[in-house]
Amino acid sequence: MKREKWRGWLTRFGEAPSAEAGSPSDMALLELANGCAALGLSVPETRLCPGWGEDFEISLSDCRVRIAGGDPGLLYGAYAYLTAMACGEAPPAGRRHPYYPLRMLDCWDNLDGSVERGYSGRSLWFEGGALRWDPARIATLGRLLGSVGVNALCVNNVNVRDGAQALIEELLPELARLAEAFRPFGVRLMASVDFSQPLMHGLPTADPLDPDVAAWWRVRADAVWAAIPDFAGFVVKADSEHRPGPFTYGRTHAEGANMLARAVAPHGGKLVWRAFVYDCAQDWRDHSTDRPKAAYDTYMPLDGQFDDNVLLQVKHGPYDFQVREPVSPALLGMRDTALALEVQLAQEYTGHQIDLYAMPPMWAELRETLPPENVRAVAAVSNLGRDDCMTGHPFAAANLFGYGRFAWDPMSDPRRVLVQWAKLTYALPEAQRDALVDMLMDSRAVYEKYTAPLGLNWMVRPGVHYGPSPEGYEYDLWGTYHRADRNAVGIDRTAAGTGYVCQYPDALRDLYADTDTCPEKLLLFFHRLPYDFRMRDGRTLIQRIYDDHFEGVEQVERMAETLASLDLPEPDRTEALRRMDMQLANAREWRDVINTYFHRLSGVEDARGRKIYQ
Amino acid sequence: MKREKWRGWLTRFGEAPSAEAGSPSDMALLELANGCAALGLSVPETRLCPGWGEDFEISLSDCRVRIAGGDPGLLYGAYAYLTAMACGEAPPAGRRHPYYPLRMLDCWDNLDGSVERGYSGRSLWFEGGALRWDPARIATLGRLLGSVGVNALCVNNVNVRDGAQALIEELLPELARLAEAFRPFGVRLMASVDFSQPLMHGLPTADPLDPDVAAWWRVRADAVWAAIPDFAGFVVKADSEHRPGPFTYGRTHAEGANMLARAVAPHGGKLVWRAFVYDCAQDWRDHSTDRPKAAYDTYMPLDGQFDDNVLLQVKHGPYDFQVREPVSPALLGMRDTALALEVQLAQEYTGHQIDLYAMPPMWAELRETLPPENVRAVAAVSNLGRDDCMTGHPFAAANLFGYGRFAWDPMSDPRRVLVQWAKLTYALPEAQRDALVDMLMDSRAVYEKYTAPLGLNWMVRPGVHYGPSPEGYEYDLWGTYHRADRNAVGIDRTAAGTGYVCQYPDALRDLYADTDTCPEKLLLFFHRLPYDFRMRDGRTLIQRIYDDHFEGVEQVERMAETLASLDLPEPDRTEALRRMDMQLANAREWRDVINTYFHRLSGVEDARGRKIYQ
């Protein structure tokens, strides 16, 4: 079994239809024809229901399948039917609609073709300062996104630099052509904009309360929607990591966001404002500033002040896509703001699409503390790129697939989602497929074990964010400290410490504040503890650190055996095995560096006498 | 007092003569006319003495000064006379000649205009893949180099990449024009070459014992000397930090160097072979490999096997231009090889030409263990660039000046050299000049105090090599470990440890091996010691570390006061003060990070109760 080029989970349906197909409902008919031919099924009846929007309904009567749906609902119905049949499941009967109306994919692509935190090659649509793409590739991607219901694609890096401002100016005609390419798949474009963009046009200020600034943005928005009538909106990273923003002019983020929101509102556009403000020039000597507190401290006082078409996009944890973080308290506290939950498919801190790290189990955990209704939209940082395998590791496609499934239905069962992806992607015998899915289900827990312990985070190589560097961020400017010494490790974030825990609702605050009840996986996120602290099973903290790191590597070794036993098609098999070798080396490096680091500090030997290097 | 553009220590002589002046002896007459006019002196008689080469003789009789000299000796005589007079000294009477016949400046300039480890702006002669330079700037530089007797300039980075191979191929005509520009100042060009260069021309191998390879290099050398008859030779970095070399073909470095040496020998050329081979992919778990041993281990067995026109260029210490290293044992042991001593004016690890770090005192220290006669040539990595101030910090010019003086006479008194530079550069009142020179004389000891302690080294930010990162290199691939733990710090390099100390002659070996006799500044280079180790003055090691770091910052604070009190001309004053602010911040960061680091490890409080951050 061999595939020339990996193209995601719908390759069995043949080449993706040309993006010139027209509307999503037209595409639905094309895809049903393709898919049914491939699966040997008769083509269902379809009915376009104006006004249904994204809804669809699959029904069976007289042995005939009927799919009704709006535009693009009919396309979602077609994909739901085809993927169910391809998986050997019953077609999902009844009327369906997505839980979140906006399901974004945020691409950190730069106009020069590079991708910030991209591990899958260069940008799929930018190169050399212009938009350039392979239509067949975009059709394939559009199909993949449409098949899991991702409906908005922000095309450029939230760090808008190096001419990317032109996307909503002279590059608009090119952007409109890209929008045409994605439109038949129900995918609407968005763009990241530069808050200070008016300064590039002779305005003396970008002050959001300046009428000329507001007028400039209205004119810009009018031009964008004139070129792309179904444009979904703007994304803004302001006052964050040296990006310009309203703070420059003494304005609040509500004032900044609302000004832009009013420019896009007449067109039905959304204004997505990223809540990622923190002191990125912190002095490590300063123990009172605590970066995880930043989002809540900055935005909670603004709760209720944002316009209706503003979405405040908040990262799932209070830091920055670490392996183990508690839910961001801003997501729990801001009940009068339309929030968008942000996750990161790009494995910036989670293995660079070299190490296996399947995210659906993580998102399922997330909903235990973050009820899905707390947020109104979801966004994921993209893991896409120009490599043949558009996600770096062929299995990393499961995260894109799973993200779409969770965005459509946040109560999705992660295992069921991964099984579906595996069935669609590979024709494996059931036992092998189960082995693959088991491996993916465990992969995050395994990665967590061999990297930074118990929610400590940031023991990663600075800049690169792959591989261990226990003190790499310890004396740096980023507010990312663990302050390990010869006796203890971690930051006290209780009321007696930085007080971060007080940002949570009472029940969670009490849970986290008490070392007896705090989930052990978050223990070092909330507490500073001595190495001889007793874990609930009687082990000391230091022994738990050692054990986790030894076990993590043993688990990767077993994963490597499992992987080798799978009859995967080429080139996926070779590519996955190659990356597994790298993961093994990475896991061993993490184990040895972290164990040595804590052994040097604590002087405590491993109770089981395993090798800890000096 | 104000100078528009800083141009080094000879600005008072007016614009440098055009490089079209002809021979160095012609230039001597021009410079004498310029200098004597500026100083209000009558022009000395001159006599060109064929066969004298670099020698000159200044004599006085009947109140007339006479300068005799070869070509370029006459030019050196002219500069010796003029600088002595400008300094208010008596002209140096008697016949003089340089101690080292080859006095190289190695520029790590890349063809794209960047400079590896350059802190003075972009390349003075490369840009955009070609040679481009400002003739007036090159004349100024030629004058500066000629005035201190630097007589060879290797124009390109020892890491020959990105098309720099073309310098000895299609770019030869341009290189010849640059040679013309420097020739009147007695400066001959050299080029770094790529050992694997024949592979770029269809040869299947670069094996030094392959006759076709040797023939290729002979043809190349013939072409180079045809274009530039006084070309000085090639510089090679082979089998080092991923550069190609003879090891690829199972050949020794003597075989590799001699093959190239025979290509250049018919033209009187030198082949400079850098002895900088070590394992740059070391596993930190490996305690038996010890990087400082590498040069001696690699080259000592080859002693006596190099051709006469090979110079083996050895860094002054066994690591890589750290603040405090012992003399490289290869420089002491290889008595049957022509050695070139390599120092680094570019302040890669020594403050980036932001922090003050005058090197003449360091070189004077060096000669206490390395007799000048042990080596046959000297080379310095350049600190030059395209900034108005060609050395980044205006005072960093003192290192270029001092290097020339030491290369001419290694027994030069460092204080006298710095006084000369200060007198030539600034018209300061004597007390101020003394204060400036005192500051420079102390500057290395001060930098040493606030950075890594007692010869430990490598506590610097990886890659950048500025600012502290105590464990930045601790788990990396570069063989640069200190292995600090809660009890002790340092590597045992005695016979009981890695055995590095056994590479030294007996007396030095015994001196270094014993903690009672080892110079304290090198204690942690040679020994692993507990924090409560007693220093000779009764302090503990940990207290000495704290004290040095507090004192270092206090000394920088005093230097800042001194600097502010000097009536320096602009723009030097503003520039020096601006950099001093940065040095102060750097020194405080080093102090706090290093003290905190060792406090966290050791748990020991400062005996004097000063602030150590948690």
Side-chain angles (χ1 to χ4, degrees):
Chain A
M1 190 163 59
K2 182 167 159 56
R3 299 186 293 180
E4 272 314 298
K5 286 200 176 188
W6 183 90
R7 292 294 196 184
W9 52 83
L10 294 182
T11 40
R12 72 178 70 177
F13 298 166
E15 284 295 303
S18 158
E20 286 149 27
S23 70
S25 53
D26 296 336
M27 182 62 78
L29 305 185
L30 283 174
E31 285 290 67
L32 280 171
N34 286 334
C36 290
L39 297 172
L41 300 171
S42 55
V43 177
E45 281 179 26
T46 56
R47 184 162 55 90
L48 182 63
C49 306
W52 279 31
E54 297 197 317
D55 284 20
F56 68 85
E57 181 172 339
I58 300 178
S59 52
L60 285 106
S61 67
D62 309 330
C63 296
R64 288 286 292 165
V65 177
R66 290 185 184 80
I67 307 177
D71 205 359
L74 195 63
L75 181 66
Y76 295 144
Y79 283 130
Y81 173 72
L82 291 171
T83 54
M85 300 312 289
C87 289
E89 300 170 357
R95 183 154 169 171
R96 306 282 170 131
H97 66 272
Y99 190 89
Y100 296 115
L102 190 64
R103 305 175 299 280
M104 291 179 268
L105 195 68
D106 288 356
C107 299
W108 290 357
D109 292 28
N110 300 313
L111 242 63
D112 66 2
S114 62
V115 180
E116 184 166 327
R117 307 302 174 187
Y119 311 105
S120 308
R122 293 178 67 77
S123 170
L124 282 157
W125 43 79
F126 295 135
E127 193 57 59
L131 281 107
R132 289 180 200 154
W133 67 85
D134 169 0
R137 179 62 72 100
I138 294 299
T140 302
L141 177 58
R143 167 193 260 179
L144 293 176
L145 297 180
S147 76
V148 293
V150 170
N151 68 354
L153 187 73
C154 183
V155 295
N156 64 310
N157 192 348
V158 289
N159 295 311
V160 182
R161 299 184 273 244
D162 302 325
Q165 293 88 350
L167 279 173
I168 58 163
E169 302 186 21
E170 58 267 35
L171 290 176
L172 252 181
E174 295 186 40
L175 193 64
R177 281 193 289 277
L178 187 65
E180 276 173 35
F182 278 111
R183 186 171 292 122
F185 298 101
V187 179
R188 298 161 68 194
L189 296 196
M190 308 183 78
S192 298
V193 299
D194 173 356
F195 192 80
S196 66
Q197 205 152 336
L199 300 180
M200 301 170 81
H201 293 273
L203 271 71
T205 178
D207 180 351
L209 300 195
D210 183 289
D212 291 342
V213 170
W216 187 90
W217 280 108
R218 277 197 304 274
V219 169
R220 247 330 81 207
D222 292 349
V224 170
W225 267 269
I228 311 172
D230 62 349
F231 198 72
F234 292 150
V235 177
V236 187
K237 175 179 179 180
D239 292 314
S240 171
E241 295 175 341
H242 314 295
R243 305 312 304 160
F247 289 168
T248 310
Y249 308 99
R251 310 303 181 189
T252 71
H253 272 215
E255 289 168 327
N258 291 343
M259 179 275 289
L260 288 168
R262 285 161 203 170
V264 304
H267 310 287
K270 294 288 182 191
L271 193 282
V272 177
W273 190 266
R274 283 180 98 231
F276 188 51
V277 169
Y278 68 97
D279 180 1
C280 66
Q282 185 174 339
D283 190 326
W284 60 270
R285 301 166 189 82
D286 166 13
H287 284 231
S288 61
T289 304
D290 188 20
R291 173 166 161 184
K293 294 170 72 177
Y296 187 95
D297 282 348
T298 306
Y299 293 98
M300 195 63 200
L302 303 177
D303 195 25
Q305 295 182 26
F306 291 96
D307 280 12
D308 286 349
N309 65 327
V310 174
L311 282 160
L312 189 69
Q313 184 167 304
V314 182
K315 296 188 182 193
H316 66 80
Y319 256 139
D320 186 20
F321 302 133
Q322 300 299 293
V323 178
R324 175 67 60 178
E325 298 187 51
V327 171
S328 171
L331 289 169
L332 299 172
M334 298 187 70
R335 307 314 308 268
D336 293 319
T337 301
L339 300 172
L341 170 70
E342 183 174 337
V343 298
Q344 190 185 37
L345 308 184
Q347 290 174 227
E348 176 177 356
Y349 297 96
T350 55
H352 282 203
Q353 284 133 256
I354 296 166
D355 298 28
L356 294 182
Y357 193 96
M359 298 177 186
M362 183 168 81
W363 301 324
E365 263 180 36
L366 188 62
R367 71 190 177 210
E368 289 170 22
T369 35
L370 180 69
E373 64 270 22
N374 265 51
V375 305
R376 307 257 191 94
V378 283
V381 180
S382 159
N383 60 356
L384 295 169
R386 207 186 298 168
D387 287 351
D388 282 347
C389 163
M390 284 189 276
T391 52
H393 197 304
F395 300 172
N399 288 329
L400 181 59
F401 181 89
Y403 168 66
R405 286 283 190 256
F406 274 85
W408 187 279
D409 175 10
M411 298 312 289
S412 300
D413 174 64
R415 185 174 180 91
R416 185 161 179 276
V417 166
L418 291 173
V419 166
Q420 271 205 333
W421 168 81
K423 282 181 172 176
L424 290 170
T425 307
Y426 300 121
L428 292 174
E430 188 173 347
Q432 290 196 18
R433 187 174 61 237
D434 285 347
L436 171 59
V437 171
D438 287 346
M439 186 164 70
L440 292 176
M441 285 295 290
D442 290 345
S443 59
R444 183 228 188 178
V446 171
Y447 188 88
E448 182 176 20
K449 273 194 177 178
Y450 64 73
T451 55
L454 304 168
L456 204 59
N457 299 313
W458 297 110
M459 289 190 147
V460 71
R461 276 182 182 266
V464 178
H465 299 168
Y466 187 81
S469 180
E471 299 210 343
Y473 276 109
E474 194 54 19
Y475 299 99
D476 219 322
L477 304 167
W478 302 94
T480 49
Y481 318 114
H482 54 68
R483 300 199 167 91
D485 68 17
R486 73 201 315 263
N487 302 311
V489 58
I491 305 295
D492 179 2
R493 295 196 162 104
T494 67
T498 71
Y500 165 72
V501 79
C502 302
Q503 293 184 341
Y504 284 95
D506 292 358
L508 273 178
R509 184 197 62 205
D510 295 346
L511 183 85
Y512 293 145
D514 186 341
T515 56
D516 286 342
T517 55
C518 180
E520 285 197 324
K521 288 187 170 179
L522 286 167
L523 210 47
L524 292 178
F525 194 97
F526 286 102
H527 300 279
R528 181 170 182 83
L529 296 173
Y531 297 117
D532 59 1
F533 175 84
R534 287 284 158 191
M535 305 295 285
R536 278 158 224 163
D537 63 5
R539 284 183 289 176
T540 59
L541 172 65
I542 187 74
Q543 188 58 42
R544 167 67 183 269
I545 292 173
Y546 295 154
D547 287 348
D548 274 10
H549 285 80
F550 285 115
E551 287 166 21
V553 173
E554 289 160 13
Q555 286 173 290
V556 179
E557 287 164 350
R558 287 197 295 275
M559 284 163 71
E561 288 170 22
T562 300
L563 182 67
S565 76
L566 302 181
D567 296 315
L568 293 167
E570 292 297 348
D572 293 24
R573 180 177 161 84
T574 298
E575 191 56 36
L577 286 172
R578 189 178 74 82
R579 286 172 194 254
M580 179 56 79
D581 284 345
M582 296 164 74
Q583 177 171 6
L584 263 171
N586 188 42
R588 289 174 182 146
E589 189 70 6
W590 270 100
R591 174 195 65 194
D592 290 341
V593 169
I594 298 296
N595 283 348
T596 296
Y597 176 74
F598 282 111
H599 181 261
R600 287 182 182 179
L601 278 169
S602 70
V604 178
E605 301 301 329
D606 173 44
R608 293 172 52 193
R610 290 162 294 192
K611 179 70 180 174
I612 296 179
Y613 293 85
Q614 296 303 303
Chain B
M1 190 163 63
K2 182 169 158 60
R3 296 186 296 181
E4 273 315 298
K5 286 200 175 186
W6 185 91
R7 292 292 197 187
W9 53 84
L10 293 183
T11 40
R12 73 178 70 179
F13 297 167
E15 285 296 301
S18 158
E20 286 149 27
S23 69
S25 54
D26 297 335
M27 182 63 77
L29 306 185
L30 282 173
E31 286 288 67
L32 280 171
N34 286 333
C36 290
L39 298 170
L41 301 170
S42 56
V43 177
E45 279 180 26
T46 56
R47 184 163 55 92
L48 181 62
C49 306
W52 278 31
E54 296 195 318
D55 284 20
F56 68 85
E57 181 172 342
I58 300 177
S59 53
L60 284 107
S61 67
D62 310 330
C63 297
R64 288 287 293 167
V65 178
R66 291 186 184 80
I67 307 176
D71 205 359
L74 196 63
L75 180 67
Y76 295 144
Y79 283 129
Y81 173 73
L82 290 171
T83 54
M85 299 313 287
C87 289
E89 300 169 358
R95 182 151 169 173
R96 307 285 170 128
H97 66 273
Y99 189 90
Y100 296 115
L102 189 63
R103 305 175 298 281
M104 290 179 268
L105 195 68
D106 288 357
C107 299
W108 289 357
D109 292 29
N110 299 312
L111 243 63
D112 65 3
S114 62
V115 180
E116 185 166 326
R117 308 301 175 188
Y119 311 105
S120 309
R122 293 177 68 75
S123 169
L124 281 158
W125 42 79
F126 295 136
E127 192 57 59
L131 281 107
R132 287 179 200 153
W133 68 86
D134 169 2
R137 179 62 71 100
I138 293 298
T140 301
L141 176 59
R143 167 193 261 180
L144 293 176
L145 297 180
S147 76
V148 293
V150 169
N151 68 354
L153 186 73
C154 182
V155 295
N156 64 311
N157 193 347
V158 290
N159 294 311
V160 182
R161 300 184 272 243
D162 302 325
Q165 294 88 351
L167 279 172
I168 58 163
E169 302 186 21
E170 58 266 35
L171 291 177
L172 253 182
E174 294 185 40
L175 192 64
R177 281 193 288 278
L178 187 65
E180 275 174 35
F182 279 110
R183 185 171 293 121
F185 299 101
V187 179
R188 298 161 68 194
L189 296 197
M190 308 184 77
S192 298
V193 299
D194 173 357
F195 192 80
S196 66
Q197 203 153 338
L199 299 181
M200 301 170 80
H201 292 273
L203 271 74
T205 179
D207 180 350
L209 299 196
D210 183 289
D212 291 340
V213 170
W216 186 91
W217 280 108
R218 277 197 304 275
V219 169
R220 244 336 75 207
D222 292 350
V224 170
W225 268 269
I228 310 172
D230 63 350
F231 198 72
F234 291 149
V235 177
V236 187
K237 175 178 179 179
D239 293 313
S240 171
E241 296 177 341
H242 313 295
R243 305 311 304 161
F247 289 167
T248 309
Y249 309 99
R251 310 302 183 191
T252 71
H253 272 215
E255 289 168 327
N258 291 343
M259 180 275 291
L260 287 169
R262 285 160 203 170
V264 303
H267 310 286
K270 293 287 183 191
L271 192 283
V272 177
W273 189 267
R274 283 181 97 231
F276 189 50
V277 169
Y278 68 97
D279 179 1
C280 67
Q282 185 174 340
D283 190 326
W284 59 270
R285 300 166 189 81
D286 166 13
H287 285 231
S288 60
T289 305
D290 188 20
R291 173 166 161 185
K293 294 170 73 177
Y296 188 95
D297 283 347
T298 306
Y299 294 98
M300 196 63 201
L302 304 177
D303 194 26
Q305 296 182 25
F306 291 95
D307 279 12
D308 286 348
N309 65 327
V310 174
L311 282 160
L312 189 69
Q313 183 166 304
V314 183
K315 296 189 182 195
H316 66 79
Y319 256 139
D320 186 19
F321 303 133
Q322 300 298 293
V323 177
R324 175 68 60 179
E325 298 187 51
V327 170
S328 171
L331 290 168
L332 299 171
M334 299 187 69
R335 306 314 307 269
D336 294 317
T337 301
L339 300 173
L341 169 70
E342 182 175 337
V343 299
Q344 190 185 39
L345 309 184
Q347 290 174 227
E348 176 177 357
Y349 297 96
T350 55
H352 281 203
Q353 285 133 256
I354 296 165
D355 298 28
L356 293 182
Y357 193 97
M359 298 177 186
M362 183 168 82
W363 301 324
E365 264 180 35
L366 188 62
R367 71 192 178 208
E368 289 170 21
T369 34
L370 180 68
E373 64 268 23
N374 264 53
V375 305
R376 307 259 191 94
V378 282
V381 180
S382 160
N383 60 356
L384 294 169
R386 206 185 300 167
D387 287 349
D388 280 348
C389 163
M390 284 189 278
T391 52
H393 196 304
F395 300 172
N399 288 329
L400 181 59
F401 181 90
Y403 168 67
R405 287 283 190 257
F406 275 86
W408 188 279
D409 174 10
M411 298 313 288
S412 298
D413 173 64
R415 184 174 181 90
R416 187 163 176 276
V417 166
L418 291 173
V419 166
Q420 271 205 333
W421 168 81
K423 282 182 174 177
L424 290 169
T425 307
Y426 300 119
L428 291 174
E430 188 173 346
Q432 289 195 18
R433 188 174 61 237
D434 285 348
L436 171 59
V437 172
D438 287 345
M439 187 164 70
L440 293 176
M441 285 294 291
D442 290 345
S443 59
R444 183 230 187 174
V446 171
Y447 188 88
E448 181 175 21
K449 273 195 176 179
Y450 63 75
T451 56
L454 304 167
L456 204 59
N457 299 311
W458 297 110
M459 290 192 146
V460 71
R461 276 180 181 268
V464 178
H465 299 168
Y466 187 81
S469 180
E471 300 210 341
Y473 277 108
E474 195 53 21
Y475 299 98
D476 220 322
L477 304 167
W478 302 93
T480 49
Y481 317 114
H482 54 68
R483 300 198 168 93
D485 68 17
R486 72 200 316 263
N487 302 312
V489 58
I491 306 294
D492 179 2
R493 295 197 161 103
T494 68
T498 71
Y500 165 72
V501 79
C502 302
Q503 294 184 340
Y504 284 95
D506 293 357
L508 273 178
R509 184 197 62 205
D510 295 346
L511 183 86
Y512 293 145
D514 185 341
T515 55
D516 285 342
T517 55
C518 180
E520 285 198 325
K521 287 185 172 180
L522 286 168
L523 211 46
L524 292 178
F525 195 98
F526 286 102
H527 299 279
R528 181 170 181 83
L529 296 173
Y531 297 117
D532 60 1
F533 176 84
R534 286 285 158 189
M535 305 295 285
R536 277 158 224 163
D537 62 5
R539 284 183 290 177
T540 59
L541 171 66
I542 187 74
Q543 188 59 40
R544 166 68 183 269
I545 292 173
Y546 295 154
D547 287 347
D548 274 10
H549 285 80
F550 285 115
E551 288 166 22
V553 173
E554 289 160 13
Q555 286 173 291
V556 179
E557 287 164 349
R558 287 198 293 276
M559 285 162 72
E561 288 169 22
T562 301
L563 182 67
S565 75
L566 303 181
D567 296 315
L568 293 167
E570 292 297 348
D572 293 24
R573 179 178 161 82
T574 298
E575 191 56 37
L577 287 171
R578 188 178 74 82
R579 286 172 194 254
M580 179 55 79
D581 284 344
M582 295 164 75
Q583 178 171 5
L584 263 171
N586 188 42
R588 288 172 181 148
E589 189 70 7
W590 271 99
R591 174 195 64 194
D592 291 342
V593 168
I594 297 297
N595 283 348
T596 295
Y597 176 74
F598 282 110
H599 181 262
R600 286 182 182 181
L601 277 169
S602 69
V604 178
E605 301 301 329
D606 173 45
R608 294 172 53 193
R610 289 161 295 192
K611 179 72 180 172
I612 296 179
Y613 293 86
Q614 297 303 303

